[in-house]
Amino acid sequence: MKKKFCIAVFILLTGNLFAQWSGYYITKGSELDAGLGMTWIDNQAYYTISFNPDISTGKFGIGLGINLLYNVNTGKIRSSDWNSGYDYARIIRYLRYGHKGDKVYSRIGALDAARIGHGFILNFYNNQLNYDERKIGLSLDVDLGRFGFESLTNNLGRLEVIGGRGYFRPIYSSQIPVLKNFAVGASYVVDLDPDSWRGTKDGVSVWGADVELPLIKSSILKMLLYADYAKIHGYGSGKTIGFETDFNALAGFLKLGFNVERRFMGKEFIAPYFDPFYEILRNTTVGELVEFYRSLGGDSLGIPQQFLNIVASIPVNKKMLLPMMTEKRNGWYASLYVDILHLIKGLGSFQMMDNQKNGGILHLGARSSDSIPFVSMEASYDKWGIGNFKDIRTLNYQSLARVGVGYKIKPYLLLYLDYLWTFQWDEDLKQYKPQERFQPRLAFRYNFGI
């Protein structure tokens, strides 16, 4: 079981749900971000020194992440940040070639919003949830026109989640304007060993098939129809049909993306199985899993609460949820992306199952452009188990949040405050508990436009 779990910067998403930003998004060129400040973790104060450059030239990009936390009482560096060789390897946050959606795209390191296909099996997956045990992943996509593939693994140090999608455009070489881009695809994603014990046989795999038809594909307007089918090996299946559009008007002054799906999920099926919260549930406890099940509209399973309290700390993984899903469920998924004058970017997505009181899952993200004078702002918020507006406003163990606000003393010098609502493993309670972080700092941020 992992000892600690926290999120330094969770998911902020851009583009037609294919691009992403993480932390400080670089719109062009290269940027140096460094700072001095303080961090409070569970009422323990640390002096913080950070050095986080993003260097981009042509299709190549590299991001470094060096963060030193000095205990104000002992003057020593926080040991859990640097207690293995893998910690030093994570200094390289990512190496990148191209961008998601290009003919060739590859990324090594942080996969903070990974997606395969239309996201019905794996959507916005994040391999960075455990801050003290961040993983080095690999994503590789190749589009050769008539056929191509997408692929990823979450951890090069130890193969865990592995997946891919291959697709084929059967009439790509024809001159038919719309139908030439019609594609059929097949996907497969597996978690070889969710509980990290090689001796157990608790792996889970999901395979699927899909079709897609781009109705319009231009620099101003894109429209796509698609349908997916997925099956969890040994369990149930589901399907979805969706529509996606991306509007780019007035030379980029307004970008608008909209995606809506109708989902039909059978018994013993969850979509997407590999979601933003997957790293929490792939190695969790009975107590947390039951709470997550209830958030999906399940009841107490007829098990007395006294007994649940006794077994709450027993380690399990998300696959245990599948037999609990004894009813067919239908629902909606929708997302909206907006970029106004390159000044404000925002994304919201929401999933809700029909006739399930607490089945809502929400993601919100926004950030301001560096072109705005005086202030810099960015925020992200994820919440599951939503039944009403009050649930959205409440921070608890079902929430992940980050808000950053900075005042620009100079265009390159900011007084910055980060607030993070994350989680930490409690060894006594044998479960995750909410953790708040306050991180004021003096930040140096300079775009040197390579």
Side-chain angles (χ1 to χ4, degrees):
M1 182 66 71
K2 295 177 175 64
K3 299 298 183 183
K4 295 182 180 178
F5 167 76
C6 62
I7 300 170
V9 181
F10 198 65
I11 303 171
L12 289 170
L13 308 160
T14 64
N16 192 24
L17 301 181
F18 288 99
Q20 69 222 24
W21 77 72
S22 172
Y24 304 113
Y25 174 71
I26 311 304
T27 55
K28 61 181 179 179
S30 302
E31 185 174 85
L32 171 63
D33 187 292
L36 300 172
M38 296 284 295
T39 296
W40 281 266
I41 304 175
D42 288 339
N43 298 319
Q44 174 61 57
Y46 298 86
Y47 297 118
T48 305
I49 300 175
S50 62
F51 180 71
N52 301 290
D54 280 273
I55 302 170
S56 179
T57 174
K59 287 184 173 292
F60 292 93
I62 181 173
L64 304 179
I66 303 174
N67 296 284
L68 302 177
L69 275 66
Y70 290 87
N71 190 303
V72 299
N73 297 323
T74 65
K76 297 181 179 180
I77 295 178
R78 186 169 181 255
S79 59
S80 58
D81 292 342
W82 306 96
N83 57 7
S84 72
Y86 206 58
D87 291 325
Y88 292 90
R90 286 193 296 260
I91 288 175
I92 300 177
R93 285 191 293 117
Y94 70 87
L95 293 170
R96 173 188 56 78
Y97 177 81
H99 298 275
K100 189 72 174 178
D102 289 353
K103 294 295 184 181
V104 178
Y105 163 74
S106 182
R107 182 182 177 106
I108 298 175
L111 306 178
D112 44 16
R115 195 171 195 243
I116 286 183
H118 310 119
F120 194 51
I121 296 175
L122 186 147
N123 196 35
F124 300 152
Y125 172 80
N126 189 339
N127 72 341
Q128 302 292 293
L129 295 190
N130 188 330
Y131 183 75
D132 293 326
E133 298 181 26
R134 300 182 307 282
K135 299 172 182 178
I136 299 174
L138 170 64
S139 180
L140 175 63
D141 301 351
V142 176
D143 184 350
L144 298 176
R146 192 174 183 85
F147 60 90
F149 67 87
E150 306 169 70
S151 63
L152 68 81
T153 179
N154 73 324
N155 189 358
L156 292 175
R158 179 183 184 277
L159 294 181
E160 296 170 347
V161 177
I162 306 170
R165 172 182 179 254
Y167 54 90
F168 175 63
R169 301 183 179 101
I171 54 176
Y172 183 78
S173 58
S174 74
Q175 302 301 315
I176 305 175
V178 175
L179 294 180
K180 64 175 293 186
N181 292 314
F182 171 78
V184 294
S187 303
Y188 182 78
V189 184
V190 59
D191 187 346
L192 296 173
D193 192 20
D195 66 5
S196 301
W197 297 345
R198 288 299 192 197
T200 57
K201 302 294 184 181
D202 56 354
V204 60
S205 60
V206 188
W207 62 269
D210 65 84
V211 294
E212 65 177 28
L213 177 63
L215 302 177
I216 301 175
K217 193 174 183 180
S218 70
S219 59
I220 297 177
L221 181 63
K222 297 178 182 179
M223 289 186 178
L224 174 71
L225 287 175
Y226 61 88
D228 282 67
Y229 171 86
K231 166 74 174 177
I232 302 176
H233 179 69
Y235 296 93
S237 63
K239 50 187 177 292
T240 185
I241 183 169
F243 171 78
E244 192 173 284
T245 184
D246 189 9
F247 178 63
N248 183 5
L250 305 175
F253 285 100
L254 174 64
K255 291 184 178 180
L256 187 67
F258 178 68
N259 177 213
V260 61
E261 291 183 11
R262 181 61 174 169
R263 293 178 170 176
F264 308 91
M265 293 190 282
K267 300 177 181 179
E268 300 186 345
F269 182 80
I270 298 173
Y273 187 84
F274 302 93
D275 61 9
F277 297 95
Y278 182 70
E279 281 294 320
I280 303 173
L281 296 177
R282 72 185 298 265
N283 187 9
T284 185
T285 63
V286 170
E288 290 173 333
L289 202 67
V290 169
E291 290 298 328
F292 185 75
Y293 168 73
R294 288 171 175 168
S295 78
L296 298 177
D299 56 21
S300 63
L301 305 173
I303 302 174
Q305 186 62 45
Q306 295 87 339
F307 179 75
L308 286 176
N309 293 338
I310 295 173
V311 300
S313 62
I314 295 176
V316 292
N317 63 66
K318 186 175 181 177
K319 191 169 72 169
M320 185 179 174
L321 271 179
L322 297 174
M324 300 181 189
M325 315 310 294
T326 58
E327 300 292 335
K328 295 182 179 180
R329 292 154 295 123
N330 299 333
W332 291 94
Y333 171 85
S335 65
L336 176 67
Y337 165 74
V338 63
D339 180 351
I340 303 174
L341 299 173
H342 299 299
L343 297 178
I344 300 292
K345 292 177 168 60
L347 172 74
S349 65
F350 189 70
Q351 174 181 295
M352 175 62 78
M353 295 295 103
D354 297 348
N355 304 316
Q356 292 194 2
K357 181 180 178 181
N358 298 310
I361 300 176
L362 173 73
H363 170 75
L364 296 173
R367 77 155 286 164
S368 63
S369 167
D370 291 337
S371 302
I372 296 179
F374 306 119
V375 296
S376 177
M377 296 178 291
E378 51 197 330
S380 66
Y381 181 60
D382 288 86
K383 182 68 179 283
W384 53 272
I386 296 174
N388 52 49
F389 183 73
K390 182 180 178 181
D391 294 332
I392 297 176
R393 296 186 290 109
T394 304
L395 287 175
N396 56 20
Y397 65 93
Q398 299 168 321
S399 310
L400 302 168
R402 183 223 173 188
V403 177
V405 179
Y407 172 72
K408 297 180 179 178
I409 302 172
K410 297 287 186 179
Y412 53 84
L413 190 64
L414 296 88
L415 186 61
Y416 213 91
L417 174 63
D418 273 317
Y419 170 81
L420 298 95
W421 179 274
T422 63
F423 294 90
Q424 181 180 15
W425 179 254
D426 189 299
E427 192 63 42
D428 296 326
L429 298 176
K430 301 298 181 183
Q431 63 184 28
Y432 291 113
K433 65 177 183 179
Q435 179 190 81
E436 288 185 296
R437 285 193 177 202
F438 295 92
Q439 299 181 175
R441 65 192 180 104
L442 187 65
F444 176 81
R445 190 182 301 174
Y446 181 70
N447 190 314
F448 46 95
I450 292 179

